[in-house]
Amino acid sequence: MENRSQWGTRAGFILAAVGSAIGLGNIWRFPYVAYENGGGAFFIPYLFALLTAGIPILIMEFTIGHKYRGSAPLSFFRLNGKKTEFLGWWGIFVSFVISTYYAVIIAWAMKYTVYSFGLSWGKDPEAFFFGDVLNLADNPGEVGGLVGGVALPLLLVWVICYIILLGGVKKGIELANRIFIPVLFLLFLFVVIRAITLDGAMVGLDAFFKPDVDKLLNPRVWVAAYGHIFFSLSIAFAIMITYSSYLPKKSDITNNAFITGFANSSVELLAGIGVFAVLGFMATNQGVDVADVATAGVGLAFVVFPEIINQMPGLNGLFGAFFFLSLTLAGITSLISICETYIAGMSDKFNISRRRSVTIGIGLSAVISLLYATNGGLYFLDVADYFINQFGIAVIGLVEVILLAWVFRKLGLFEQHANAVSDIRLGWWWKVSLSFITPLVLGTMLFFLIKDNIAENYEGYPTSFLWTIGWPVAIGAFVMSIVFTSLKWKDNTRITSDYDENKGGL
Amino acid sequence: MDTGMSGSAILMMLLGVTIIWGGLFISIFYATILSKFKKKFKTEQ
């Protein structure tokens, strides 16, 4: 019987979990979400969301993985048979879709790391990115041809990912995170220190931290805080269950969740300081308001940052290289955690070796990811990302907490398990958060989401295009989860091996 | 001293930094030092 892999050390697990949580969103999403939703005042709903949804769900997912010791579908199967197994597959299919486009963004960042040394984007970074780099099609839905300049670094991303995942949990994922996370931290620290020493940096920081207290009365600000915490912590898409299933039997679940949650937020805060310091520099330089230059996502990283790097008085190339290398490393550590979900799931369900599972999983993702390396790739990426995140992760999170807290009433069992292995004991706070606060806020979030999407199409895209890529990926992930749940477990001994039902993995 | 930032912005920055980075510090401190001390104390009892 094959023994389940384990992390070498507690620090190894924490670095891997933190590496998964810290992704592109921490650097390019959080600063703008905070700025748009009250600046400094946003920290109040943000911290509230972290303590009443982020960390409680992390604790729940760590407990499920640790107690049932399997990939997400196997853990959910052991929990309550096929009635909950689909939750694991649902998360896995959401992860699968995300992995296909996430790799493409890492490929752009990798390319820009090299470009930084020679400031290759020239005087018009916008034209360079959309024209020279992406060779973007004129209209959404046009596929066009494969863009070689994106496809090649994309291949390199998949090769790196393949090698790391083939190395297994300890010699692959843990080792990579042990190297990448400290390097990422040092690189990003350099970026932030350089940013705050620029002229006008304080103008940016003032814009970022200045509290707009009136916004706290707006329910959408609270929903934005919960939404961000949810997407930022890698919860509800099978990752944390998979990672915690590799923990040794004696592991402090609760404190590990606190460290992971606070480490993720610490990096976000650092990112906010760095991003708004350089935006302040740019605004001062151009004699405009910070609001005129503040943005998020792809536009911030690949258009605004190159513009800022052009204007910097010194260390331009190095600053750019460190920034884009930080994005690359943050992306790779998240990508390997996303891929690990389906590699572990396939291996458990179909009883295949890790090597085979890695080859099939990475091979399939790599082939599909080529769609995003075409001329029309950015449009597909934008819509797939929006729909899978909004209608995938948020719905899974809601269904997960309702089923586990209300329908199958498993929170007491999880609490017992977590308390048996952890120093910090869970109490009423944890149960109230998961039973009432999280479902209420996620339900409100979905209500706003559906309302907004009925009112107008996302980013004004044509309805036909949204039905070509957006809705199919969101609905498809759920349909595939039902299909995979209906399949039989290839080897039933896998269901019981390394797990004692009475002791619950202890 | 003029920092270029308003008082309320400085206050929110300090609050965020203290709670978030402080939370991380306490969690790590608890995991590495306090829990071991607690276990040692329990064993001695």
Side-chain angles (χ1 to χ4, degrees):
Chain A
M1 188 71 59
E2 195 185 331
N3 280 329
R4 190 159 186 82
S5 310
Q6 273 191 9
W7 302 107
T9 59
R10 181 180 185 181
F13 164 72
I14 291 172
L15 283 173
V18 168
S20 172
I22 298 169
L24 303 171
N26 295 65
I27 300 172
W28 75 26
R29 190 175 187 274
F30 170 76
Y32 190 71
V33 170
Y35 172 72
E36 275 282 278
N37 291 285
F42 182 73
F43 285 104
I44 293 167
Y46 174 83
L47 286 169
F48 201 74
L50 177 69
L51 295 172
T52 59
I55 291 175
I57 296 177
L58 257 187
I59 293 171
M60 184 178 79
E61 296 205 337
F62 280 175
T63 306
I64 294 171
H66 185 255
K67 180 173 167 62
Y68 298 102
R69 314 194 67 72
S71 58
L74 181 56
S75 290
F76 277 118
F77 183 84
R78 284 171 171 169
L79 170 70
N80 212 17
K82 288 198 180 277
K83 285 177 194 164
T84 43
E85 185 192 335
F86 80 96
L87 279 172
W89 287 114
W90 198 359
I92 278 181
F93 279 102
V94 165
S95 289
F96 180 76
V97 173
I98 294 174
S99 71
T100 59
Y101 65 76
Y102 209 78
V104 181
I105 304 172
I106 300 169
W108 299 340
M110 210 180 246
K111 220 172 145 72
Y112 267 68
T113 307
V114 180
Y115 284 158
S116 297
F117 290 105
L119 306 181
S120 309
W121 44 74
K123 286 180 180 167
D124 189 354
E126 189 172 359
F128 180 80
F129 180 64
F130 295 111
D132 298 30
V133 176
L134 300 184
N135 201 1
L136 190 64
D138 292 333
N139 299 305
E142 279 177 29
V143 180
L146 201 63
V147 180
V150 177
L152 279 176
L154 177 63
L155 183 71
L156 185 61
V157 171
W158 285 121
V159 169
I160 293 169
C161 201
Y162 181 78
I163 293 169
I164 293 170
L165 288 165
L166 208 58
V169 174
K170 197 173 163 184
K171 290 181 181 163
I173 303 172
E174 183 173 341
L175 183 65
N177 278 290
R178 273 180 170 274
I179 299 167
F180 290 170
I181 295 300
V183 173
L184 165 67
F185 181 73
L186 290 176
L187 289 176
F188 205 66
L189 202 61
F190 169 86
V191 169
V192 174
I193 291 171
R194 179 71 190 111
I196 56 175
T197 54
L198 290 165
D199 281 343
M202 294 304 145
V203 176
L205 292 185
D206 188 59
F208 180 59
F209 284 110
K210 200 173 189 172
D212 182 355
V213 186
D214 291 346
K215 288 228 171 167
L216 291 179
L217 299 172
N218 184 349
R220 279 185 185 260
V221 169
W222 288 79
V223 167
Y226 273 85
H228 180 78
I229 282 290
F230 220 79
F231 301 132
S232 169
L233 274 176
S234 296
I235 45 184
F237 52 120
I239 295 174
M240 292 307 183
I241 294 175
T242 311
Y243 267 16
S244 58
S245 73
Y246 303 130
L247 276 168
K249 290 178 182 176
K250 280 188 178 175
S251 298
D252 189 327
I253 292 172
T254 311
N255 200 17
N256 282 349
F258 272 98
I259 295 175
T260 308
F262 278 119
N264 178 62
S265 295
S266 299
V267 173
E268 285 192 324
L269 184 60
L270 199 63
I273 293 171
V275 166
F276 271 85
V278 289
L279 289 175
F281 161 72
M282 189 183 185
T284 308
N285 223 14
Q286 295 179 352
V288 296
D289 202 66
V290 175
D292 298 327
V293 292
T295 183
V298 172
L300 173 75
F302 299 102
V303 178
V304 175
F305 255 83
E307 275 176 29
I308 294 168
I309 293 164
N310 279 348
Q311 294 169 20
M312 283 173 75
L315 296 174
N316 316 41
L318 198 62
F319 179 89
F322 278 18
F323 172 74
F324 287 110
L325 192 56
S326 302
L327 277 186
T328 307
L329 293 179
I332 287 178
T333 52
S334 297
L335 181 64
I336 55 178
S337 71
I338 296 168
C339 296
E340 179 61 19
T341 61
Y342 48 85
I343 286 162
M346 279 197 299
S347 186
D348 280 344
K349 181 90 181 189
F350 303 110
N351 195 27
I352 54 175
S353 68
R354 182 172 180 91
R355 174 175 285 272
R356 217 168 148 199
S357 192
V358 171
T359 308
I360 296 170
I362 298 297
L364 203 60
S365 310
V367 170
I368 295 174
S369 69
L370 290 175
L371 172 70
Y372 307 105
T374 59
N375 297 116
L378 183 63
Y379 300 120
F380 289 111
L381 189 154
D382 185 29
V383 174
D385 176 51
Y386 175 79
F387 276 83
I388 205 70
N389 270 302
Q390 303 290 332
F391 292 100
I393 298 172
V395 181
I396 296 178
L398 183 63
V399 174
E400 189 177 292
V401 287
I402 289 176
L403 284 183
L404 300 181
W406 292 101
V407 180
F408 301 117
R409 296 190 170 272
K410 296 286 183 187
L411 293 189
L413 192 70
F414 297 158
E415 184 186 3
Q416 211 181 343
H417 181 85
N419 284 345
V421 292
S422 308
D423 278 336
I424 303 168
R425 293 184 69 81
L426 298 175
W428 62 270
W429 147 80
W430 185 71
K431 278 187 173 171
V432 168
S433 297
L434 291 177
S435 306
F436 300 100
I437 302 174
T438 307
L440 184 76
V441 180
L442 281 179
T444 313
M445 196 168 117
L446 275 173
F447 169 76
F448 282 135
L449 195 64
I450 292 166
K451 197 177 150 200
D452 291 347
N453 276 273
I454 289 172
E456 58 179 326
N457 282 354
Y458 168 64
E459 292 285 324
Y461 284 115
T463 307
S464 58
F465 181 60
L466 298 183
W467 277 100
T468 308
I469 182 92
W471 290 108
V473 293
I475 299 166
F478 175 71
V479 173
M480 290 303 287
S481 74
I482 302 297
V483 172
F484 269 63
T485 304
S486 67
L487 300 174
K488 276 189 177 172
W489 289 85
K490 200 79 178 168
D491 178 8
N492 282 330
T493 56
R494 279 245 178 181
I495 299 170
T496 50
S497 74
D498 196 30
Y499 170 69
D500 183 334
E501 200 176 336
N502 298 318
K503 290 180 182 174
L506 272 169
Chain B
M1 189 179 77
D2 183 20
T3 58
M5 284 172 75
S6 61
S8 58
I10 292 174
L11 188 72
M12 290 317 287
M13 185 172 79
L14 289 176
L15 193 73
V17 166
T18 308
I19 297 176
I20 294 172
W21 292 350
L24 177 64
F25 176 78
I26 291 169
S27 316
I28 294 174
F29 182 71
Y30 195 91
T32 52
I33 298 168
L34 272 187
S35 64
K36 279 178 192 153
F37 182 75
K38 221 171 128 184
K39 269 177 203 148
K40 201 180 160 195
F41 181 70
K42 268 186 187 170
T43 319
E44 278 171 5
Q45 264 192 335

